[in-house]
Amino acid sequence: MPGSKKVHIKTFGCQMNVYDSERMTEALAPYGYQPTDVVEEADVVVLNTCHIREKAAEKVYSELGRLRQLKDERRLQGLSTSIAVAGCVAQAEGAEIIARAPVVDLVIGPQSYHRLPDLLFRSQSESRRLVDISFPDEDKFGHLPARDPVSPGAVQTARRSSAAFLTVQEGCDKFCTFCVVPYTRGMEYSRPVDSLVTEALRLVERGVQEITLLGQNVNAYHGEGPDGRPWSLARLIGRLAEIEGIERLRYTTSHPRDMGDDLIAAHRDQGKLMPYLHLPVQAGADRILAAMNRKHTANDYRRLVDRVRRARPDIALSTDIIVGFPGESEQEFQATLSLVEEIGFAQAYSFKYSARPGTPAAKIDEQIAEDVKVERLARLQSVLEHQTRRFNTGCVGRVFPVLFERHGRRDGQLIGRSPYLQSVHAEGEPDLLGRIMPVEISAAGPNSLSGVIRAL
């Protein structure tokens, strides 16, 4: 592939896709592709897709319609454009994308993106449209280039230089009946500890101070340690906390069934592990949880939260909740509301159930009417939004260490993250970017905090 070309990657969905997009950018860099935010100047456009949200595939096809017009316009200028669809929609739809969208040159699944440069070259040189949605035997992470200590550029797919994602685990063996992850990402795979330590060290060389460990079921991590034995997520966190330059660690997304004693203890003992835990409950009625194949009851969740809060009293919780799962009665929805009101969440992600083709829940006859799902979601979100406002308001007057990551919209305004993952706005000099500073919180909004930077 000749040099001096540009690639634009548009990322949909989860944080793992953000990480994957950055790695794809890095994989193409040795072949002369530089990242760009301007899609009109891109020689390669990659849509890195997510299958979790409702109508995910339709959104991808809508985007491809716009790209078809762009590709035609560039062709009239004598410029060629390769269009690739990657990620979970690519895995789920496969050759159907090629059939439905002639603009697409390459379809590549999330387990094959380390092959992107080779597949792109083959597609271009052979004038062929290719599909690779296999689950290769080789470790894709081992075939990706080493992380460049110099950031690949300020593109939409890259995290800010002071904070980064690090995928430590992929796939899921839980087979929740509403979820496509086992079919699009495959079975659980945990990366070796040494590989993760090496990547973390490279990120620190970039200036990264906060690392979020990613996995579809991250607390099921069981990667091979330097001693040849499987390490837990808690032990991995302990090892990463030893790296000079890493000041903050987080992880997501976890499953209640894999929240072991050592991980709970890590929240108590590891000062670099932030006091924030995303712990999806999904529903509050035991029959619905069983139908979801969640493998925990509402009381299991209550007891787990109690153990976590005893270990780390200042911890904040976030969660995922689905309303309108097939067969959910009003009484069962009320059980979810009661659980939410009892637990109290600082943040939550709530959704109407939507059927995913090929999942067991999609075949259940008792699908809930759309208007019922809409009404239940509105009631739930009213409670959740109140809890978030109450949590944020409770931060006013407190002093938080804030890692400043980027400029705000106004001159002199900086934006950072609190230990509780809230956006914090404050006035400050540009040289504070990438630094952790004490900020006294003076005001709270529904989605962010404002404060004043205090002297160290």
Side-chain angles (χ1 to χ4, degrees):
M1 296 181 186
S4 302
K5 292 195 172 185
K6 294 185 178 181
V7 57
H8 175 87
I9 302 182
K10 181 168 183 176
T11 307
F12 298 80
C14 68
Q15 295 161 321
M16 189 171 288
N17 270 11
V18 175
Y19 174 87
D20 288 349
S21 292
E22 185 172 349
R23 298 312 313 269
M24 282 190 274
T25 301
E26 293 170 345
L28 289 170
Y31 298 86
Y33 285 91
Q34 298 299 312
T36 179
D37 284 330
V38 183
V39 65
E40 290 80 7
E41 66 181 24
D43 302 281
V44 173
V45 178
V46 180
L47 302 183
N48 192 13
T49 62
C50 176
H51 209 281
I52 298 299
R53 298 292 186 264
E54 188 175 6
K55 299 181 180 178
E58 286 84 346
K59 293 176 182 177
V60 172
Y61 287 115
S62 176
E63 188 72 26
L64 289 172
R66 289 188 285 270
L67 289 177
R68 179 180 61 186
Q69 181 178 354
L70 172 65
K71 192 171 185 176
D72 290 342
E73 292 171 354
R74 282 175 55 86
R75 185 182 294 114
L76 292 175
Q77 301 171 35
L79 302 171
S80 63
T81 312
S82 294
I83 308 295
V85 178
C88 291
V89 171
Q91 188 71 39
E93 301 282 325
E96 184 176 349
I97 295 175
I98 292 288
R100 286 185 57 181
V103 69
V104 175
D105 302 288
L106 174 62
V107 176
I108 184 167
Q111 301 307 323
S112 301
Y113 70 72
H114 60 294
R115 298 175 175 175
L116 177 59
D118 177 63
L119 291 168
L120 192 58
F121 176 75
R122 285 173 51 198
S123 174
Q124 293 171 344
S125 62
E126 300 171 15
S127 298
R128 293 174 55 201
R129 304 169 71 208
L130 301 176
V131 176
D132 187 345
I133 54 172
S134 61
F135 288 87
D137 291 332
E138 72 264 23
D139 173 12
K140 72 178 179 186
F141 298 101
H143 286 74
L144 289 166
R147 304 303 299 269
D148 190 335
V150 178
S151 175
V155 295
Q156 67 182 109
T157 57
R159 284 278 280 175
R160 296 169 293 275
S161 61
S162 55
F165 294 133
L166 175 55
T167 292
V168 303
Q169 180 271 343
E170 280 195 297
C172 186
D173 296 348
K174 292 294 188 290
F175 285 93
C176 296
T177 58
F178 55 82
C179 185
V180 297
V181 165
Y183 312 103
T184 58
R185 290 275 182 171
M187 296 294 94
E188 289 178 0
Y189 166 76
S190 297
R191 296 176 61 187
V193 172
D194 285 345
S195 170
L196 296 170
V197 170
T198 298
E199 187 167 340
L201 288 167
R202 302 282 285 191
L203 291 172
V204 169
E205 291 178 32
R206 284 188 184 181
V208 167
Q209 298 179 64
E210 176 180 304
I211 294 179
T212 300
L213 309 180
L214 299 180
Q216 269 89 24
N217 192 16
V218 69
N219 56 343
Y221 176 83
H222 56 276
E224 181 182 1
D227 56 3
R229 300 171 64 86
W231 280 30
S232 67
L233 180 64
R235 195 171 180 187
L236 173 65
I237 287 170
R239 174 64 184 92
L240 295 176
E242 295 172 355
I243 296 176
E244 185 177 354
I246 294 179
E247 302 298 334
R248 293 179 163 190
L249 290 166
R250 306 181 188 271
Y251 63 89
T252 195
T253 290
S254 52
H255 192 290
R257 294 286 291 176
D258 293 310
M259 200 74 195
D261 292 342
D262 63 342
L263 188 54
I264 294 174
H267 281 278
R268 178 193 66 211
D269 301 334
Q270 295 291 345
K272 293 183 179 180
L273 184 58
M274 293 294 96
Y276 183 89
L277 173 62
H278 186 65
L279 191 65
V281 65
Q282 302 299 0
D286 288 348
R287 191 186 70 84
I288 296 299
L289 288 168
M292 290 177 167
N293 197 34
R294 287 293 290 170
K295 299 183 175 69
H296 65 82
T297 67
N299 280 336
D300 289 337
Y301 190 86
R302 290 182 175 96
R303 286 189 290 266
L304 176 57
V305 167
D306 185 59
R307 291 172 59 210
V308 171
R309 284 176 166 164
R310 286 201 307 269
R312 186 73 191 257
D314 65 337
I315 201 163
L317 297 177
S318 68
T319 197
D320 294 340
I321 300 173
I322 295 172
V323 303
F325 187 82
E328 180 189 65
S329 67
E330 173 62 23
Q331 183 178 6
E332 287 166 332
F333 171 68
Q334 288 291 339
T336 296
L337 284 180
S338 295
L339 180 69
V340 167
E341 289 169 345
E342 177 185 343
I343 298 294
F345 295 100
Q347 182 59 268
Y349 304 90
S350 53
F351 314 94
K352 297 177 298 178
Y353 170 78
S354 60
R356 293 293 178 264
T359 59
K363 302 172 186 176
I364 298 175
D365 291 334
E366 302 173 88
Q367 299 293 322
I368 303 299
E370 182 67 16
D371 61 336
V372 174
K373 290 191 287 187
V374 169
E375 191 270 339
R376 287 180 183 172
L377 182 63
R379 277 192 281 161
L380 173 64
Q381 290 182 339
S382 176
V383 174
L384 292 170
E385 288 166 4
H386 173 73
Q387 291 186 347
T388 298
R389 287 195 300 270
R390 183 173 62 192
F391 180 79
N392 288 347
T393 301
C395 296
V396 174
R398 300 176 63 184
V399 176
F400 288 146
V402 173
L403 174 58
F404 286 105
E405 301 171 328
R406 56 193 172 93
H407 292 283
R409 293 182 178 178
R410 301 196 310 270
D411 288 344
Q413 185 184 63
L414 304 179
I415 301 176
R417 293 282 177 181
S418 78
Y420 297 112
L421 208 57
Q422 301 142 305
S423 289
V424 180
H425 299 73
E427 302 296 320
E429 296 299 321
D431 61 2
L432 295 181
L433 289 176
R435 295 179 62 186
I436 298 174
M437 298 294 294
V439 176
E440 183 175 350
I441 305 303
S442 56
N447 301 306
S448 63
L449 306 175
S450 299
V452 178
I453 298 173
R454 298 306 185 194
L456 289 172

